Amino acid sequence: MARATLPAPAVFVDRDGTLIEEVGYLDRPDRVQLYPWSVAAIRALNRAGVRVVMVTNQSGVARGFFTETVVEEVHARISEELAAGGAHLDAYYYCPHHPDGRIREYARACDCRKPGRALVDRAVDEFNIDLTRSFAVGDRWFDVGLARAVGARGILVRTGYGAREERSAPDGLAADAVVNNFVEAASWILERLRA
Ligand SMILES: [Mg+2]
Ligand SMILES: [Zn+2]
């Protein structure tokens, strides 16, 4: 049966160092600090009909630094701040795992830790997404690697760890764009989608 809507492009956006300040392991919602441009950037993507899906590695859960409840409280905090500015994320997906974790239920290799693609596949199942017109944005090379893994375009931002990452690109992996921050990434994306 045909779907009711045409497949939409999506932006898979990293959290720490991309939407919010990188503060190490974020273990309290009151430490959430959105970058000043994040609300406007997401609102512009929302208005263009682009799905915006957070995809974040939160190995602090496996390491025992904080619980999934804390991750969800952090996301509720981000959601409130976005809503106050008329913006929203379509989904908040995270990987709580790590092979070296000390919390047994999370201590494993998995397919959802970036650059693994399982969270993107979940978004494709849940929303009607055209990966060939989609983008992954983040401050680490594994964010660009995620884009490569799913056939989307990858953008490295220089916030968070990004400026450092830019100086040490792994062999065989190049970003489609390197930009100063997420609002520049959103502009780059919207230009490509209009073309
Ligand atoms: Mg990051
Ligand atoms: Zn995982």
Side-chain angles (χ1 to χ4, degrees):
M1 196 179 78
R3 299 243 202 169
T5 56
L6 290 171
V11 174
F12 301 102
V13 62
D14 173 51
R15 192 188 84 181
D16 305 329
T18 303
L19 283 186
I20 67 175
E21 295 273 0
E22 170 61 59
V23 295
Y25 291 98
L26 178 50
D27 56 359
R28 293 201 324 257
D30 63 0
R31 297 177 72 206
V32 168
Q33 184 72 54
L34 266 81
Y35 288 117
W37 48 78
S38 291
V39 172
I42 291 172
R43 194 171 53 221
L45 294 167
N46 293 152
R47 287 180 177 167
V50 180
R51 304 265 186 261
V52 189
V53 175
M54 178 189 286
V55 176
T56 177
N57 287 351
Q58 293 299 325
S59 70
V61 176
R63 297 178 203 275
F65 297 157
F66 46 81
T67 63
E68 287 200 68
T69 302
V70 169
V71 176
E72 281 155 20
E73 286 169 358
V74 165
H75 294 172
R77 179 67 166 259
I78 293 170
S79 176
E80 278 168 27
E81 294 197 26
L82 293 178
H88 72 276
L89 295 180
D90 292 278
Y92 292 76
Y93 296 151
Y94 62 92
C95 165
H97 308 113
H98 195 276
D100 306 325
R102 64 180 185 82
I103 307 295
R104 197 194 311 176
E105 62 181 306
Y106 301 110
R108 59 180 176 86
C110 66
D111 299 323
C112 56
R113 180 172 167 79
K114 292 183 285 188
R117 62 174 294 155
L119 296 179
V120 167
D121 289 334
R122 182 171 153 198
V124 169
D125 284 346
E126 202 156 328
F127 304 98
N128 194 5
I129 289 172
D130 177 357
L131 285 176
T132 67
R133 288 193 299 141
S134 293
F135 304 81
V137 184
D139 66 322
R140 303 292 296 269
W141 285 111
F142 57 67
D143 295 302
V144 176
L146 173 67
R148 286 289 165 275
V150 302
R153 280 176 276 188
I155 304 173
L156 185 75
V157 292
R158 296 191 179 101
T159 49
Y161 293 110
R164 193 181 79 186
E165 292 277 271
E166 187 182 10
R167 295 192 293 270
S168 57
D171 282 347
L173 185 62
D176 293 282
V178 181
V179 297
N180 286 324
N181 55 44
F182 185 60
V183 74
E184 289 189 9
S187 297
W188 191 89
I189 288 165
L190 290 170
E191 277 171 31
R192 297 300 167 300
L193 289 173
R194 278 191 294 265

